[in-house]
Amino acid sequence: MRKNIVAGNWKMNTTVPEGLELAKEVNAAVAAATPKCDVIICVPFTHLVPVAQAIDTNKLGLGAENCADHAKGAYTGEVSASMVASTGAGYVILGHSERRQYYGETSETLREKVALALQNNLKPIFCIGEVLEERENGTYNDVVRKQVEEGLFNLSAEEFGNIVLAYEPVWAIGTGKTATAEQAEDMHAFIRSVIAEKYGKEVADNTSILYGGSCKPSNAAELFAKPDVDGGLIGGASLKCEDFMGIVSAF
Ligand code: PGA
């Protein structure tokens, strides 16, 4: 059975002391609440080690927001998948639209990153989603299909079983404009059908597909009630423990 997951994406926010405080707060809230879903926080590289030491990673998952497309060596400023794994993190967000848009990440680099993440026992949270123009001109299904196929369909079915998908319409990220629950469900069901074509129904049914884009306590329950929406990838609202836990408790 697929898992329900709520994952925070802190992006480039908080200093180490601030992030440590937030992580401790979320850790305590998760311990007190016994949530009905897996809860994960994805934090800046600098925060991984102190946060891993401060939280119970059996109850609160920890992830990075990116990793390098090379295993090791002369890549100044990069952080490898094995370095991320060595901190105690178990997840890594890959292919976020901000990485694709501002840092030129392509399906080709993402295939390398996914392979390295899997080799190091990190579960990728692989992001896909169309921009506003593609939503408006009706090509959004084709765009998302291409992102899934090009980024992931070189994997074996067994490898694919470690992938968490996050559908994040770019027009909904940080804009306050959420996809309707129906728009999210339509896309999630479509993504699941694309996975089923390639890997079969069982693999598709076992894949967690999260929604991301202005998800907040007030709209999470409606989104998560949809049969193909298995949780959320939360940006802005993951920076406040109360808001993040409000989304967690939507399950
Ligand atoms: P948002 O970001 O919740 O602030 O819209 C979501 C994301 O980019 O993962």
Side-chain angles (χ1 to χ4, degrees), residues 26-49:
V26 174
N27 186 58
V30 167
T34 47
K36 296 196 179 64
C37 61
D38 285 4
V39 185
I40 301 165
I41 51 175
C42 297
V43 307
F45 291 132
T46 44
H47 298 35
L48 286 169
V49 169

Side-chain angles (χ1 to χ4, degrees), residues 3 23 49 77 80 86 90-91 96-97 107 130 138 151 155 157 199 227 232 251:
K3 286 181 171 173
V49 169
S80 72
S86 72
Y91 298 86
H96 191 279
S97 60
S107 295
E130 81 284 358
L155 298 177
Y199 295 107
F251 274 115

Side-chain angles (χ1 to χ4, degrees), residues 9 11 96-98 127 168 172-176 212-215 233-237:
N9 172 12
K11 307 192 180 184
H96 191 279
S97 60
E98 288 150 17
C127 303
E168 301 203 305
I173 296 178
T175 58
S214 300
C215 189
L233 181 57
I234 318 300

